């Protein structure tokens, strides 16, 4: 009847529908018109090529932070520090993007590399402390988030600029934007989505096809057995955090070299990293699942901005997203309900 | 030197109080086997409900308003945490996922409701906050009095007393033994005739009550209003305190006090002549760096309750 | 400016003019400048008999990623003049303005050098100067404080003006300056304020957004315990008198007012009248009531303070004194005293 | 009408895809020790979990003292006087003995647990049944045998009249088993009834009154022990004839493969567990290490395989010094290791069986090339080994977790032997397995020997040691205190040696 792969598809779809239905009920209760509200949501994305590409831009970093967190989860680690890794990746990319002069085929990769390296470096700290001293990665990551916030603000203000809030735009040679795409959509659609999709493949290959992935997963599941099999447990923890941080750092580069083309001081967290947790989990920690869940996130976030045109406060979408996640997480009960339905049919 | 202590200690105490409450909640939830990443969201609910109540009922209740507000926050936190409990315990949802969802849901809900009630995304200041007081008599004790009993919030004392109560309950009473048992080895507890699900529900609901209280104390003593950014990371700091304190109520209290101390020190530090020319950024990150150093240096490995994070399915092993 | 001529010329009836603003992450009820800007737009709308949504409108941003989308949404719905509220939108306004040369834009608190963008800036240092004058006059202890959110150029402008104003009144006054590192950390604000009041500071000027809530909280708490004590706060951007209310007392000495509403309404009106100041930097200061100082707390804001403030205000308006807006200017100014 | 305390009539219990109990009837008389016998996966634990209220039967009826009851919760079972000692202990490591026992029915003083009273009660109970447990000790600090007694105390504390013991002896040393039997007999004297699950026919013959046999979920019948013999029991259980002592040719030892000199090893608390130990193993022989648990066997193996640091001494493999090599290098120089704890060390339970098959070789050709894994080759190998070692699994893609203990063990043994190591270390390779599986594994070990490999067998089962080894080294207090020829010794003598008493005998050198 329902194979487990079938469930893997059905449950998220049902959850999305339930989430939207709950949102509609809330709108009704508070006297808004849910049909108009959702119409505005839909139009907010699909009305024009501009907003569709805007949505793609929004999805791109979600994919990467989703991958970062999913990768860590798959190897038994909780990288709650993606938030900070995004910030340092962002600033590093912009730094290279503004300070270096080079032809595009060197400059852009270099800037991306810098972002990846910065993210990885930030993740290295909790990784090494966990590997060497057994310090819980969650608490160190939380601290590293705050440090990243203050340090990047400082760098932007006093190193990248002379007491400015915003850096210069990155040079065209380091930019992910592309005249052709801009001409096509009149938007800021940038090439970052290619990087993100590439990383989806990278994660999949590492985890499912390489001996590194095999080791990382083994260590995540059972450190004793990994040790027995001659793997270096500590080293694998660090490598796993590095790769996770690398993805998060690249998410920062998408913003710094693409969507914004610069870096600016932040008063609070961007939430890209925290939302990444939800993206990863909604996507079942599977790289392709992450693409789908990031798409849903991007769609809802961009579309919701248009909901005010229907007079609906867009917090409703935050509630809807949260409910969808809750429903997916409670997949067990949906599965149970479906099976009951099936049984009922048979009788 | 003494002067510095006179200012640091009371500051550390008021700063730490919301974290202590919330972290105690976290301890109870995780000890019962349910990870609660949603503490942040529960604090949001606490802050939201207490501020709203305070604004709406200050005229009726007068000076007693803040205390009723705390009570309302406790109840709101409990109700909200029920979502986490039902999803993770009954529906076997992944605890981390659900916690993340709780955080988003709480913020969305809080801001949405504020808009519905007050027509704006940020409330006015409450007119009946909690004020600090001197403790009669004790304040006159030389040195100690000025350090611990001068301009103190009752909520800070409550937080500390509650930490000891929480410790006592967890380690000395049957209920505490049971909470710890279902968090370590639910099946063992089950075969001993303990209702695993009920006990976990209670653990999570306690965390809701205390995190709600923590959020409310933050709102009633520090922010005095509610907006989307009132609770911005305190819940995560509370989680850090839970782990830092090794899932022990007194440890969590110590960790929260340490955070308060480090923050306060970084503020006081900038007015110490010696540190005047140190770039601001070092002082800003000091509390976090100190925490990492403390963990790496002498706290080290902390081991979570064995079964925390694992839904209990009756009959499986 | 020729674009504006044609658009207002076309809509000779005057009804087709549409203006709107994009908020930064605060939202139109942030009790700060998004709110103030919206009040300005509303006033403009009412003055011109426009309907909300049709004649004037706003879009709220929830994160920095939303700015560009919101600006474009307004462009696509044929808005004639689009305001970006806050310097954070400068970058995006610049880009969108480049792509939509027919549309007019205005950026608040920043400068974007484009023909179809008007830059609205304020002389915050002037108001802060007066805040410093008030603080120094009020202070008994000879120690006053300044709490900034983030250590940015903009906030440095507030700091410089404030210190200069204070020193102008009392050359020896001590000014304790601290930055919380965030505009959204009331706990940190409270810590700093607690520390300052402990060390004898009796007036604190904050320019720290939500962090400032903590400053108010601390001042009110101290005031509650010691109603006779001197624990004053100077508010920022708009009149924060209400925030200072505690029982029958009020700790808000005054507030540095930044009349974003006035500026927005003025630029919108000019634009509608075909005089859009494209490519210009429109600066609002004491002179044109773009900057001011609140006198709501009549009890605390005594006559001697008022007269001192008025005196210096006149000097600034007359150009006898230039309020410093940077650390260097401040140094030069203090040296000259 | 017989006087039954427990009657389980026509019990059926289905799990998704499998009928674990199909129409099983079990009747236990008052005051008897009733054995429950069956292969791995036959449905014994399931049946007992039904009786204890952890599972609800799909069909059938349970009677206690002749009254029909519905047991839907362990609490109900406890109230009915049924207590269970589980196959996997239900103890909380971080709690003390007393805390574990009173948990759920704590004596109170005000709001507080009356810990003093709890300790006193537990201690009294322990003394009464001669269990000798220290009520204040932490579970993680006491031996497995002690932990089991705590489990028994738990049932007694709750007033159990019927005590179910699920494979209690699988984890015990011979000495502990003897003590357990005494305890069981005390319980019977006090009027309790006991249901005992075990794979060891000898034990059944020794202590039980009657035995119910189940096979593949079906009840085969109940026999009086006095009227049966081990051979009959075994064939009832398996459905075919079983040979007990493994047949083998005499050993023909050749060159020395493993030479250990002056080895000293510390445990994690820095106590010397292996003390200046010397041992040689030659090609073509099986050396069995006999000894009571906790005399350094675990540390010895961990040291040889590189899992634990050596504080002194030298380990040579085929004349190559492997003393300070890392685990992988030792594995590669020709050591195969069947670990004692198959769940903790031997398998990544969340990996598929196929992935577990290459746990030691995944990084080598032909499974990996340039860092990329070839799952086709991995799965081909897995399928081949599953076939060869008769690992019963739905597929090579099934998670190792879902396999029964015996099949998990077969997968590990296949994996280790297939690498063709010169030295095969087998630690407790048959713990908890049924006789069929044991027979299979013993055959494989001997096969290795016959192919000229050195085999080191560590076991607490004297039967196993005596049957399989060519030479027995007795380990006591971190040292080899005697080496004996299995043909020239017996359980009696080995038992004494294991307890540390040196006896003058020509076989005892070293
Ligand atoms: N919770 C469960 N879910 C699904 N199947 C189960 C479950 N528990 C047991 N089984 C299946 O029921 C059958 C009987 O298992 P049971 O544990 O009763 O065997 P057993 O006789 O105790 O074996 P052993 O001697 O290895 O302990 C097995 O095939 C097993 O796969
Ligand atoms: N939740 C479950 N789902 C599927 N099968 C299960 C489950 N729980 C137990 N089993 C199966 O029940 C069978 C017997 O379980 P049992 O606990 O008796 O293990 P075992 O075979 O005795 O192994 P060991 O005692 O060595 O750990 C195994 O096949 C096991 O896989
Ligand atoms: Mg069993
Ligand atoms: Mg078994």
């Amino acid at each position: 009847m329902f194979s487990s792969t079938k469930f893997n598809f059905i449950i998220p779809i049902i959850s999305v529908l339930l989430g939207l239905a709950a949102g509609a009920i809330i709108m009704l209760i508070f006297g808004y018109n849910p049909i108009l509200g959702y119409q505005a949501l839909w139009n907010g994305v699909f009305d024009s090529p501009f907003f569709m590409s805007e949505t793609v831009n929004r999805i791109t970093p979600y994919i990467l932070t989703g991958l970062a967190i999913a990768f860590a989860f798959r190897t038994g680690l909780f990288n709650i520090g993606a938030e900070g890794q995004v910030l340092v990746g962002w600033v590093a990319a912009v730094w290279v993007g503004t300070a270096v002069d080079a032809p595009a085929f060197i400059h852009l990769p270099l800037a991306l590399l810098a972002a990846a390296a910065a993210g990885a470096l930030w993740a290295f700290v909790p990784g090494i402390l966990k590997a060497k001293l057994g310090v819980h990665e969650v608490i160190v990551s939380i601290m590293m988030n705050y440090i990243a916030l203050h340090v990047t603000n400082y760098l932007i203000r006093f190193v990248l600029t002379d007491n400015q809030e915003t850096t210069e735009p990155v040079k065209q040679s380091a930019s992910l934007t592309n005249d052709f795409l801009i001409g096509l959509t009149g938007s800021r659609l940038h090439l970052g989505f290619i990087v993100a999709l590439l990383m989806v493949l990278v994660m999949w290959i590492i985890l499912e096809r390489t001996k590194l992935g095999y080791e990382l997963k083994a260590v995540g599941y059972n450190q004793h057995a990994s040790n027995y099999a001659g793997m270096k447990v500590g080293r694998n923890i660090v490598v796993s955090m590095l790769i996770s941080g690398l993805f998060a750092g690249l998410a920062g580069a998408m913003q710094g070299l693409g969507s914004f083309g610069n870096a600016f001081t932040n008063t609070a967290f961007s939430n890209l990293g925290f939302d990444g947790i939800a993206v990863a989990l909604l996507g079942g920690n599977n790289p392709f699942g992450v693409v789908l869940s990031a798409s849903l996130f991007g769609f809802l976030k961009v579309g919701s901005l248009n909901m005010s045109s229907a007079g609906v406060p867009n917090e409703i979408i935050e509630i809807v997203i949260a409910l969808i996640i809750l429903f997916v997480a409670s997949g067990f009960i949906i599965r149970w309900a479906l099976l009951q339905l099936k049984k009922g049919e048979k009788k | 030197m003494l002067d510095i202590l006179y200012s640091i200690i009371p500051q550390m105490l008021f700063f730490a109080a919301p974290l202590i409450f919330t972290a105690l909640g976290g301890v109870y939830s995780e000890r019962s086997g349910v990870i609660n990443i949603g503490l942040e969201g529960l604090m949001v609910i606490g802050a939201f409900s207490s501020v709203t109540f305070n604004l709406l009922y200050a005229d009726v209740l007068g000076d007693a308003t803040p205390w009723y507000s705390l009570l309302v926050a406790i109840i709101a936190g409990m109700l909200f945490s029920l979502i986490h409990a039902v999803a993770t315990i009954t529906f076997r949802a992944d605890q981390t996922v659900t916690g993340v969802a709780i955080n988003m849901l709480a913020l969305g809900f809080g801001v949405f409701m504020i808009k519905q009630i007050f027509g704006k995304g940020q409330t006015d200041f409450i007119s009946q906050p909690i004020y600090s007081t001197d403790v009669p008599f004790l304040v006159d004790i030389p040195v100690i009095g000025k350090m611990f009993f001068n301009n103190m919030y009752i909520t800070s004392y409550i937080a500390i007393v509650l930490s000891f109560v929480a410790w006592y309950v967890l380690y000395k009473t049957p209920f505490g033994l049971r909470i710890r048992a279902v968090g370590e080895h639910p099946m063992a507890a089950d075969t001993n005739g303990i209702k695993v699900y009920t006990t976990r529900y209670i653990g999570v609901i306690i965390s809701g009550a205390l995190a709600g209280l923590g959020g409310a104390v933050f709102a009633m003593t520090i922010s005095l209003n509610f907006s989307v950014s009132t609770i911005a990371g305190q819940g995560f700091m509370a989680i850090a305190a839970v782990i830092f304190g090794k899932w022990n109520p007194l440890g969590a209290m110590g960790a929260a006090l340490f955070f308060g101390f480090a923050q306060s020190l970084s503020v006081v530090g900038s007015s110490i002549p010696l540190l005047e020319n140190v770039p601001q950024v070092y002082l800003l990150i000091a509390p976090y760096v100190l925490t990492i150093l403390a963990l790496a240096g002498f706290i080290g490995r902390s081991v979570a309750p064995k079964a925390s994070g694992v839904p209990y399915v009756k009959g499986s092993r | 400016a020729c674009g504006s001529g044609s658009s207002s010329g076309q809509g000779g009836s005057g009804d087709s003019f549409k203006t709107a603003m994009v908020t930064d992450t605060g939202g139109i009820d942030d009790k700060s400048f998004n709110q103030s800007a919206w009040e300005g737009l509303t006033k403009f709308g009412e003055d011109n008999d426009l309907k909300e949504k049709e004649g004037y409108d706003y879009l709220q941003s929830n994160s920095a990623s939303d700015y560009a989308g919101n600006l474009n949404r307004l462009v696509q719905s044929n808005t004639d003049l689009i305001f970006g509220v806050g310097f954070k939108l400068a970058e995006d306004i610049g880009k969108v303005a480049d792509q939509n040369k027919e549309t007019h834009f205005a950026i608040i608190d920043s400068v974007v050098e484009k023909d179809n963008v008007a830059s609205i800036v304020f002389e915050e240092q002037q108001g802060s100067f007066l805040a410093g004058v008030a603080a120094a006059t009020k202070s008994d202890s000879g120690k006053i404080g300044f709490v900034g959110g983030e250590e940015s150029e903009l906030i440095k402008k507030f700091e410089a003006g404030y210190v200069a104003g204070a020193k102008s009144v009392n050359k020896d006054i001590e000014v304790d300056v601290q930055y919380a590192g965030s505009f959204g950390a009331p706990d940190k604000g409270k810590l700093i304020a607690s520390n300052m009041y402990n060390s004898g500071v009796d007036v604190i000027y904050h320019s720290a957004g939500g962090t400032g809530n903590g400053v108010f909280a601390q001042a009110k708490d101290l005031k509650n315990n010691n109603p006779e004590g001197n624990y004053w706060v100077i508010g920022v951007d708009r009149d924060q008198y209400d925030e200072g209310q505690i029982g029958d007392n009020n700790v808000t000495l005054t507030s540095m007012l930044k009349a974003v509403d006035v500026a927005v309404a003025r630029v919108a009106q000019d634009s509608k009248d075909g005089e859009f100041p494209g490519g210009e930097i429109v600066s609002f200061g004491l002179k044109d009531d773009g900057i001011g100082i609140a006198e709501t707390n009549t009890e605390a804001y005594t006559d001697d303070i008022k007269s001192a403030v008025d005196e210096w205000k006149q000097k600034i308006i007359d150009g006898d004194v230039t309020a410093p807006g940077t650390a260097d200017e401040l140094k030069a100014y203090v040296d000259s005293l | 009408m017989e006087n039954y305390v427990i009657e389980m009539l026509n019990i059926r219990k289905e799990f998704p895809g499998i009928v674990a109990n199909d129409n099983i009837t079990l009747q236990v008389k008052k005051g008897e020790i009733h054995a429950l016998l069956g292969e791995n996966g036959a449905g014994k634990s399931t049946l007992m979990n039904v009786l204890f209220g952890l599972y609800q039967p799909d069909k059938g009826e349970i009677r206690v003292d002749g009254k029909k009851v519905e047991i839907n919760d362990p609490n109900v079972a406890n109230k009915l006087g049924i207590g269970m000692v589980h196959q996997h202990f239900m103890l909380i490591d971080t709690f003390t003995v007393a805390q574990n026992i009173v948990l759920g029915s704590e004596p109170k003083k005000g709001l507080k647990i009356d810990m003093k009273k709890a300790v006193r009660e537990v201690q009294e109970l322990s003394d009464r049944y001669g269990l000798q447990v220290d009520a204040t000790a932490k579970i993680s600090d006491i031996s497995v045998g002690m932990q089991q007694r705590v489990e028994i105390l738990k049932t007694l504390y709750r007033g159990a009249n019927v005590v179910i013991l699920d494979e209690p002896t699988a984890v015990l040393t011979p000495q502990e088993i003897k003590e357990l039997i005494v305890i069981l007999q005390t319980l019977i004297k006090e009027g309790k009834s006991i249901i005992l699950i075990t794979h060891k026919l000898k034990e059944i013959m020794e202590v039980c009154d009657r035995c119910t046999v189940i096979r593949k979920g079906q009840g085969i019948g109940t026999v009086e022990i006095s009227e049966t013999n081990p051979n009959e029991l075994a064939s009832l259980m398996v459905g075919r004839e079983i040979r007990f002592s493994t047949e083998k040719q005499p050993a023909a030892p050749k060159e020395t493969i493993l030479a250990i000199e002056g080895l000293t090893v510390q445990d994690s608390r820095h106590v010397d567990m292996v003390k200046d130990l010397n041992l040689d193993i030659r090609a073509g022989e099986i050396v069995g290490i006999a000894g009571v648990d906790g005399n350094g066997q675990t540390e010895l193996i961990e040291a040889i395989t590189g899992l634990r640091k050596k504080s002194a001494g030298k380990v040579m493999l085929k004349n190559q010094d492997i003393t300070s090599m890392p685990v992988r290098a030792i594995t590669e120089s020709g050591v195969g290791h069947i670990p004692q704890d198959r769940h903790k060390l031997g398998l990544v339970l969340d990996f598929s069986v196929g992935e577990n098959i290459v746990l030691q070789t995944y990084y080598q050709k032909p499974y990996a090339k340039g860092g990329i894994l070839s799952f086709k080759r991995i799965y081909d190998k897995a399928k081949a080994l599953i076939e060869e070692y008769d690992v019963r699994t739905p597929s090579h893609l099934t998670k190792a977790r879902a396999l029964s203990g015996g099949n998990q063990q077969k997968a590990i043994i296949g994996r280790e032997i297939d690498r063709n190591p010169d030295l095969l270390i087998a630690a407790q390779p048959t713990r908890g397995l049924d006789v069929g599986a044991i027979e299979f594994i013993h055959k494989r070990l001997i096969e290795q020997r016959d192919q000229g490999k050195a085999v080191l067998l560590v076991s607490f089962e004297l039967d196993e040691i005596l049957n399989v080894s060519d030479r027995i080294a007795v380990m006591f207090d971190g040292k080899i205190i005697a080496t004996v020829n299995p043909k020239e010794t017996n359980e009696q003598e080995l038992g004494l040696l294991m307890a540390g008493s040196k006896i003058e005998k020509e076989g005892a050198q070293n």
Side-chain angles (χ1 to χ4, degrees), chain B residues 315-317, chain D residues 15-16 18-21 38-47 49 55 87 166-167 197 199 214 402 404-406 432 434:
Chain B
S316 86
R317 58 168 171 126
Chain D
F15 290 117
I18 185 158
V19 184
N21 289 169
E39 283 183 288
N40 290 126
K44 306 179 295 291
S45 299
T46 305
L47 187 68
N49 284 335
Y55 295 149
Q87 189 169 356
D166 193 350
E167 290 192 43
I197 300 179
H199 292 295
I214 54 181
S404 74
D434 65 48

Side-chain angles (χ1 to χ4, degrees), chain B residues 7 11 14-15 120-125 131-132 151 153 221-225 263 267-268 270 280 284, chain C residues 29-31 60 151 178-180 186-188 190-191 194-195 198 213 217 220-222 224-225 243 246:
Chain B
S7 54
Q11 289 172 11
F14 86 67
F15 188 96
K120 49 191 171 185
Q122 178 181 50
T123 71
D124 292 332
F125 271 31
Y131 293 114
S132 68
N151 271 10
Y153 287 93
T221 60
I222 295 172
S223 71
L224 308 192
N225 75 344
Q263 287 288 357
V267 168
V268 172
S270 62
Q280 179 79 20
L284 289 175
Chain C
D29 34 36
D30 66 349
K31 294 186 179 171
Q60 170 162 354
E151 203 173 358
Q178 293 228 24
Y179 283 86
D187 42 1
K188 197 86 190 253
K190 189 168 152 88
L191 276 179
S194 155
N195 211 37
N198 270 349
N213 286 1
K220 284 156 78 168
D221 184 59
L222 291 167
N224 178 66
N225 283 327
E243 275 84 339
I246 157 168

Side-chain angles (χ1 to χ4, degrees), chain A residues 275-318:
Chain A
D275 287 347
I277 301 173
V279 170
L281 298 167
L282 195 56
N285 293 325
N286 170 303
F288 303 110
V290 162
V291 175
L292 294 179
S293 65
S295 303
L296 179 70
F297 257 71
F299 164 76
L300 290 176
K301 292 258 177 178
V302 172
S304 73
L305 291 176
N306 196 39
M307 285 179 89
S308 63
S309 74
V312 182
N314 54 29
E315 283 77 26
I316 206 93
I317 285 305
E318 294 292 313

